[in-house]
Amino acid sequence: GCFDEFNRIPIQVLSVVATQVGSILNALKTNRKRFKFMDEDISLIPSVGMWITMNPGYAGRTELPENIKSLFRPCAMCVPDLKNICEIMLAAEGFQDAKDLALKFVTLYKLNKELLSPQAHYDW
């Protein structure tokens, strides 16, 4: 599963989550088919995966404790190059002037983002 905005979880809850994630990882490391999770015997699917997303630096976010940080591998993300993505999509559809059109589309979306009202149904 993917847990979005993981660093918004209260620190007390994160401590419990660290214990639970640790028990799942230990069962995976020992190739168990079944294991005890929160006093219940459950089966373990070996292809299980866990991901977390965080947005550090915003109000209400907490720093993750070391015991939970050590259970996940970090992966940095960056803002995508929208012009390049748009150009590739247009070229893939057969547009001859994909480079020029991509610049126009990106400029249009940028202006929309800046000038239109900030309502939830707009996702620029």
Side-chain angles (χ1 to χ4, degrees), residues 69-95:
K69 268 189 196 177
S70 65
L71 300 174
F72 292 93
R73 238 183 266 163
C75 175
M77 304 296 281
C78 62
V79 176
D81 181 349
L82 297 180
K83 182 181 173 292
N84 191 29
I85 293 169
C86 188
E87 181 181 338
I88 291 167
M89 290 176 71
L90 290 167
E93 292 295 327
F95 286 88

mmCIF file of all heavy atoms in Angstrom, residues 69-95:
data_model
loop_
_atom_site.group_PDB
_atom_site.id
_atom_site.type_symbol
_atom_site.label_atom_id
_atom_site.label_comp_id
_atom_site.label_asym_id
_atom_site.label_seq_id
_atom_site.Cartn_x
_atom_site.Cartn_y
_atom_site.Cartn_z
ATOM 1 N N LYS A 69 12.276 5.686 9.800
ATOM 2 C CA LYS A 69 13.104 6.062 8.639
ATOM 3 C C LYS A 69 13.913 4.875 8.151
ATOM 4 O O LYS A 69 14.074 4.675 6.946
ATOM 5 C CB LYS A 69 14.082 7.172 9.029
ATOM 6 C CG LYS A 69 13.594 8.558 8.795
ATOM 7 C CD LYS A 69 14.760 9.504 9.025
ATOM 8 C CE LYS A 69 14.300 10.915 9.195
ATOM 9 N NZ LYS A 69 15.408 11.816 9.477
ATOM 10 N N SER A 70 14.422 4.086 9.087
ATOM 11 C CA SER A 70 15.294 2.967 8.725
ATOM 12 C C SER A 70 14.548 1.843 8.007
ATOM 13 O O SER A 70 15.168 0.970 7.404
ATOM 14 C CB SER A 70 15.984 2.424 9.971
ATOM 15 O OG SER A 70 15.019 1.862 10.850
ATOM 16 N N LEU A 71 13.223 1.862 8.045
ATOM 17 C CA LEU A 71 12.439 0.803 7.407
ATOM 18 C C LEU A 71 12.118 1.083 5.944
ATOM 19 O O LEU A 71 11.649 0.204 5.231
ATOM 20 C CB LEU A 71 11.125 0.595 8.178
ATOM 21 C CG LEU A 71 11.269 0.188 9.643
ATOM 22 C CD1 LEU A 71 9.903 0.161 10.311
ATOM 23 C CD2 LEU A 71 11.965 -1.154 9.758
ATOM 24 N N PHE A 72 12.358 2.315 5.503
ATOM 25 C CA PHE A 72 12.032 2.705 4.132
ATOM 26 C C PHE A 72 13.255 3.268 3.434
ATOM 27 O O PHE A 72 14.112 3.870 4.068
ATOM 28 C CB PHE A 72 10.910 3.755 4.129
ATOM 29 C CG PHE A 72 9.588 3.217 4.581
ATOM 30 C CD1 PHE A 72 9.202 3.309 5.905
ATOM 31 C CD2 PHE A 72 8.735 2.616 3.674
ATOM 32 C CE1 PHE A 72 7.987 2.802 6.331
ATOM 33 C CE2 PHE A 72 7.516 2.113 4.083
ATOM 34 C CZ PHE A 72 7.142 2.204 5.416
ATOM 35 N N ARG A 73 13.329 3.060 2.116
ATOM 36 C CA ARG A 73 14.408 3.602 1.301
ATOM 37 C C ARG A 73 13.982 4.955 0.754
ATOM 38 O O ARG A 73 12.916 5.066 0.161
ATOM 39 C CB ARG A 73 14.659 2.674 0.125
ATOM 40 C CG ARG A 73 16.064 2.168 0.058
ATOM 41 C CD ARG A 73 16.247 1.318 -1.161
ATOM 42 N NE ARG A 73 16.031 -0.072 -0.769
ATOM 43 C CZ ARG A 73 15.798 -1.042 -1.608
ATOM 44 N NH1 ARG A 73 15.727 -0.818 -2.893
ATOM 45 N NH2 ARG A 73 15.649 -2.262 -1.188
ATOM 46 N N PRO A 74 14.805 5.993 0.905
ATOM 47 C CA PRO A 74 14.408 7.306 0.382
ATOM 48 C C PRO A 74 14.520 7.375 -1.141
ATOM 49 O O PRO A 74 15.356 6.722 -1.750
ATOM 50 C CB PRO A 74 15.392 8.272 1.048
ATOM 51 C CG PRO A 74 16.585 7.441 1.360
ATOM 52 C CD PRO A 74 16.080 6.046 1.617
ATOM 53 N N CYS A 75 13.668 8.174 -1.706
ATOM 54 C CA CYS A 75 13.682 8.414 -3.153
ATOM 55 C C CYS A 75 13.265 9.865 -3.365
ATOM 56 O O CYS A 75 12.144 10.238 -3.036
ATOM 57 C CB CYS A 75 12.713 7.470 -3.850
ATOM 58 S SG CYS A 75 12.544 7.787 -5.602
ATOM 59 N N ALA A 76 14.159 10.681 -3.870
ATOM 60 C CA ALA A 76 13.857 12.097 -4.073
ATOM 61 C C ALA A 76 13.074 12.287 -5.358
ATOM 62 O O ALA A 76 13.274 11.575 -6.337
ATOM 63 C CB ALA A 76 15.151 12.903 -4.122
ATOM 64 N N MET A 77 12.179 13.238 -5.345
ATOM 65 C CA MET A 77 11.370 13.549 -6.518
ATOM 66 C C MET A 77 11.662 14.989 -6.928
ATOM 67 O O MET A 77 12.112 15.787 -6.119
ATOM 68 C CB MET A 77 9.883 13.404 -6.183
ATOM 69 C CG MET A 77 9.495 12.040 -5.642
ATOM 70 S SD MET A 77 9.729 10.736 -6.815
ATOM 71 C CE MET A 77 8.289 10.940 -7.810
ATOM 72 N N CYS A 78 11.381 15.302 -8.172
ATOM 73 C CA CYS A 78 11.567 16.668 -8.641
ATOM 74 C C CYS A 78 10.380 17.058 -9.521
ATOM 75 O O CYS A 78 9.597 16.218 -9.940
ATOM 76 C CB CYS A 78 12.880 16.810 -9.394
ATOM 77 S SG CYS A 78 12.968 15.796 -10.871
ATOM 78 N N VAL A 79 10.281 18.320 -9.816
ATOM 79 C CA VAL A 79 9.205 18.822 -10.673
ATOM 80 C C VAL A 79 9.512 18.388 -12.108
ATOM 81 O O VAL A 79 10.623 18.592 -12.598
ATOM 82 C CB VAL A 79 9.117 20.366 -10.578
ATOM 83 C CG1 VAL A 79 8.071 20.903 -11.533
ATOM 84 C CG2 VAL A 79 8.824 20.791 -9.156
ATOM 85 N N PRO A 80 8.539 17.762 -12.782
ATOM 86 C CA PRO A 80 8.806 17.293 -14.147
ATOM 87 C C PRO A 80 8.933 18.444 -15.140
ATOM 88 O O PRO A 80 8.385 19.520 -14.937
ATOM 89 C CB PRO A 80 7.584 16.433 -14.470
ATOM 90 C CG PRO A 80 6.510 16.958 -13.576
ATOM 91 C CD PRO A 80 7.196 17.458 -12.331
ATOM 92 N N ASP A 81 9.630 18.193 -16.219
ATOM 93 C CA ASP A 81 9.794 19.159 -17.302
ATOM 94 C C ASP A 81 8.563 19.051 -18.206
ATOM 95 O O ASP A 81 8.505 18.205 -19.117
ATOM 96 C CB ASP A 81 11.070 18.856 -18.075
ATOM 97 C CG ASP A 81 11.336 19.840 -19.204
ATOM 98 O OD1 ASP A 81 10.431 20.645 -19.528
ATOM 99 O OD2 ASP A 81 12.440 19.790 -19.769
ATOM 100 N N LEU A 82 7.554 19.881 -17.952
ATOM 101 C CA LEU A 82 6.286 19.783 -18.658
ATOM 102 C C LEU A 82 6.418 20.043 -20.154
ATOM 103 O O LEU A 82 5.724 19.425 -20.958
ATOM 104 C CB LEU A 82 5.262 20.726 -18.041
ATOM 105 C CG LEU A 82 4.888 20.411 -16.587
ATOM 106 C CD1 LEU A 82 3.866 21.404 -16.073
ATOM 107 C CD2 LEU A 82 4.369 19.000 -16.449
ATOM 108 N N LYS A 83 7.316 20.925 -20.525
ATOM 109 C CA LYS A 83 7.508 21.222 -21.942
ATOM 110 C C LYS A 83 8.017 19.982 -22.676
ATOM 111 O O LYS A 83 7.522 19.628 -23.743
ATOM 112 C CB LYS A 83 8.466 22.391 -22.131
ATOM 113 C CG LYS A 83 8.651 22.770 -23.594
ATOM 114 C CD LYS A 83 9.626 23.925 -23.747
ATOM 115 C CE LYS A 83 9.940 24.205 -25.195
ATOM 116 N NZ LYS A 83 10.698 23.141 -25.844
ATOM 117 N N ASN A 84 8.974 19.304 -22.078
ATOM 118 C CA ASN A 84 9.538 18.106 -22.688
ATOM 119 C C ASN A 84 8.481 16.998 -22.782
ATOM 120 O O ASN A 84 8.361 16.327 -23.805
ATOM 121 C CB ASN A 84 10.751 17.642 -21.879
ATOM 122 C CG ASN A 84 11.534 16.571 -22.586
ATOM 123 O OD1 ASN A 84 11.561 16.518 -23.810
ATOM 124 N ND2 ASN A 84 12.181 15.712 -21.821
ATOM 125 N N ILE A 85 7.714 16.819 -21.723
ATOM 126 C CA ILE A 85 6.655 15.802 -21.714
ATOM 127 C C ILE A 85 5.625 16.111 -22.795
ATOM 128 O O ILE A 85 5.227 15.235 -23.570
ATOM 129 C CB ILE A 85 5.993 15.718 -20.323
ATOM 130 C CG1 ILE A 85 6.992 15.168 -19.299
ATOM 131 C CG2 ILE A 85 4.739 14.854 -20.368
ATOM 132 C CD1 ILE A 85 6.524 15.297 -17.860
ATOM 133 N N CYS A 86 5.205 17.360 -22.863
ATOM 134 C CA CYS A 86 4.212 17.786 -23.853
ATOM 135 C C CYS A 86 4.750 17.589 -25.273
ATOM 136 O O CYS A 86 4.036 17.091 -26.157
ATOM 137 C CB CYS A 86 3.832 19.237 -23.597
ATOM 138 S SG CYS A 86 2.463 19.811 -24.606
ATOM 139 N N GLU A 87 5.989 17.954 -25.481
ATOM 140 C CA GLU A 87 6.605 17.813 -26.809
ATOM 141 C C GLU A 87 6.619 16.343 -27.246
ATOM 142 O O GLU A 87 6.271 16.012 -28.386
ATOM 143 C CB GLU A 87 8.025 18.370 -26.786
ATOM 144 C CG GLU A 87 8.729 18.291 -28.118
ATOM 145 C CD GLU A 87 10.150 18.822 -28.058
ATOM 146 O OE1 GLU A 87 10.477 19.615 -27.155
ATOM 147 O OE2 GLU A 87 10.940 18.425 -28.949
ATOM 148 N N ILE A 88 6.993 15.467 -26.350
ATOM 149 C CA ILE A 88 7.055 14.034 -26.665
ATOM 150 C C ILE A 88 5.660 13.483 -26.967
ATOM 151 O O ILE A 88 5.470 12.716 -27.921
ATOM 152 C CB ILE A 88 7.733 13.254 -25.521
ATOM 153 C CG1 ILE A 88 9.224 13.618 -25.471
ATOM 154 C CG2 ILE A 88 7.544 11.754 -25.672
ATOM 155 C CD1 ILE A 88 9.941 13.169 -24.217
ATOM 156 N N MET A 89 4.672 13.901 -26.164
ATOM 157 C CA MET A 89 3.305 13.436 -26.396
ATOM 158 C C MET A 89 2.786 13.912 -27.756
ATOM 159 O O MET A 89 2.146 13.139 -28.486
ATOM 160 C CB MET A 89 2.387 13.913 -25.265
ATOM 161 C CG MET A 89 2.651 13.211 -23.940
ATOM 162 S SD MET A 89 1.654 13.861 -22.594
ATOM 163 C CE MET A 89 0.041 13.243 -23.055
ATOM 164 N N LEU A 90 3.044 15.153 -28.089
ATOM 165 C CA LEU A 90 2.590 15.694 -29.376
ATOM 166 C C LEU A 90 3.308 15.005 -30.550
ATOM 167 O O LEU A 90 2.683 14.661 -31.556
ATOM 168 C CB LEU A 90 2.808 17.209 -29.422
ATOM 169 C CG LEU A 90 1.889 18.029 -28.515
ATOM 170 C CD1 LEU A 90 2.403 19.465 -28.401
ATOM 171 C CD2 LEU A 90 0.464 17.998 -29.025
ATOM 172 N N ALA A 91 4.606 14.800 -30.400
ATOM 173 C CA ALA A 91 5.369 14.132 -31.459
ATOM 174 C C ALA A 91 4.887 12.694 -31.639
ATOM 175 O O ALA A 91 4.771 12.209 -32.775
ATOM 176 C CB ALA A 91 6.859 14.152 -31.124
ATOM 177 N N ALA A 92 4.579 12.032 -30.536
ATOM 178 C CA ALA A 92 4.084 10.653 -30.610
ATOM 179 C C ALA A 92 2.743 10.575 -31.334
ATOM 180 O O ALA A 92 2.414 9.556 -31.952
ATOM 181 C CB ALA A 92 3.957 10.072 -29.204
ATOM 182 N N GLU A 93 1.985 11.648 -31.279
ATOM 183 C CA GLU A 93 0.691 11.693 -31.979
ATOM 184 C C GLU A 93 0.829 12.174 -33.425
ATOM 185 O O GLU A 93 -0.153 12.277 -34.140
ATOM 186 C CB GLU A 93 -0.283 12.603 -31.217
ATOM 187 C CG GLU A 93 -0.720 12.047 -29.872
ATOM 188 C CD GLU A 93 -1.537 10.764 -30.005
ATOM 189 O OE1 GLU A 93 -2.285 10.621 -31.001
ATOM 190 O OE2 GLU A 93 -1.421 9.910 -29.113
ATOM 191 N N GLY A 94 2.069 12.493 -33.831
ATOM 192 C CA GLY A 94 2.314 12.835 -35.223
ATOM 193 C C GLY A 94 2.365 14.318 -35.545
ATOM 194 O O GLY A 94 2.411 14.690 -36.717
ATOM 195 N N PHE A 95 2.352 15.182 -34.543
ATOM 196 C CA PHE A 95 2.421 16.621 -34.810
ATOM 197 C C PHE A 95 3.815 16.990 -35.291
ATOM 198 O O PHE A 95 4.811 16.659 -34.656
ATOM 199 C CB PHE A 95 2.057 17.424 -33.550
ATOM 200 C CG PHE A 95 0.597 17.409 -33.225
ATOM 201 C CD1 PHE A 95 0.054 16.393 -32.441
ATOM 202 C CD2 PHE A 95 -0.249 18.392 -33.719
ATOM 203 C CE1 PHE A 95 -1.295 16.370 -32.146
ATOM 204 C CE2 PHE A 95 -1.600 18.374 -33.432
ATOM 205 C CZ PHE A 95 -2.126 17.360 -32.642
#
